[in-house]
Amino acid sequence: MQGRGAAGAGGSEVVDADRAAWEQRSVVRVVPPVEPRKLAKVPFVELADGRLQGVVSSGSDIERVYVSSITAGTHALSCSTNNNRPCGALHGYACKHIRMLADEAVLQYGMDRVARYLRVEVAEHGDLINSLNRLVERTPAAVVFSRFLRHLAYLEVPESTEPLAELHWFPAMGAVR
Ligand SMILES: [Zn+2]
């Protein structure tokens, strides 16, 4: 594995274009990075919605970006293009987009904060990605929807005072801890 920071690829115009595009989205919050980041490669990274998520430029096609995420707790990996096509490189291990996202998140927020957010144990000087469970969630929308249907099925479960763990999903939508 090569250390990071080897190829400080240029392309400052790309950075500006990406930035302009992303600044139009109101959800972007600007947090000063712990260390300088490669904005041209990963124009957007955030810890939000229970995920480390962000946008990663395609190495080959300047028009294409990948939307990548790692879910906190489960460590489910997801990567697709901005057109919602699943990333072909995501097979049971992180694709380079997710790796880049993770690297940039560590630069942006620092390892401690990212690891705490994702609930992952990273050994000292360890690698974030290698510390994750390798669970791939290729189509988050479909997964979420089928889970939703399963949760709906619980509405037909006979009444009980015992909590159904799965139904915690519902209050969690409204309550922010
Ligand atoms: Zn990918």
Side-chain angles (χ1 to χ4, degrees):
M1 230 181 282
Q2 295 211 342
R4 71 170 68 102
S12 54
E13 290 126 53
V14 178
V15 176
D16 291 340
D18 283 341
R19 231 194 226 155
W22 287 100
E23 271 170 3
Q24 289 168 10
R25 311 235 165 165
S26 57
V27 292
V28 178
R29 248 183 316 159
V30 179
V31 180
V34 174
E35 291 181 56
R37 296 209 301 108
K38 290 172 282 195
L39 283 176
K41 302 208 169 189
V42 183
F44 176 52
V45 57
E46 67 171 1
L47 296 170
D49 299 336
R51 283 187 294 270
L52 161 60
Q53 53 193 10
V55 173
V56 180
S57 301
S58 159
S60 49
D61 184 350
I62 210 165
E63 298 278 294
R64 198 190 313 154
V65 295
Y66 288 85
V67 179
S68 311
S69 70
I70 303 170
T71 303
T74 66
H75 306 162
L77 307 177
S78 172
C79 187
S80 61
T81 68
N82 48 320
N83 296 324
N84 232 352
R85 302 179 71 117
C87 170
L90 181 57
H91 294 289
Y93 50 87
C95 59
K96 70 172 180 184
H97 313 113
I98 291 176
R99 290 182 174 277
M100 285 166 67
L101 177 74
D103 283 350
E104 293 302 293
V106 169
L107 293 181
Q108 174 83 36
Y109 297 105
M111 178 66 92
D112 286 353
R113 188 164 164 205
V114 174
R116 218 179 316 128
Y117 191 89
L118 293 178
R119 281 172 265 148
V120 52
E121 299 277 341
V122 181
E124 207 176 339
H125 308 302
D127 179 87
L128 179 70
I129 288 291
N130 291 336
S131 309
L132 298 173
N133 310 320
R134 310 254 164 96
L135 173 67
V136 173
E137 216 171 59
R138 289 191 63 92
T139 51
V143 169
V144 170
F145 192 64
S146 69
R147 287 168 58 121
F148 177 61
L149 291 181
R150 224 176 59 211
H151 289 305
L152 286 183
Y154 280 103
L155 298 180
E156 297 176 36
V157 169
E159 258 181 64
S160 161
T161 54
E162 292 296 303
L164 291 168
E166 289 86 346
L167 289 178
H168 289 175
W169 184 81
F170 286 105
M173 293 302 284
V176 178
R177 277 178 223 168

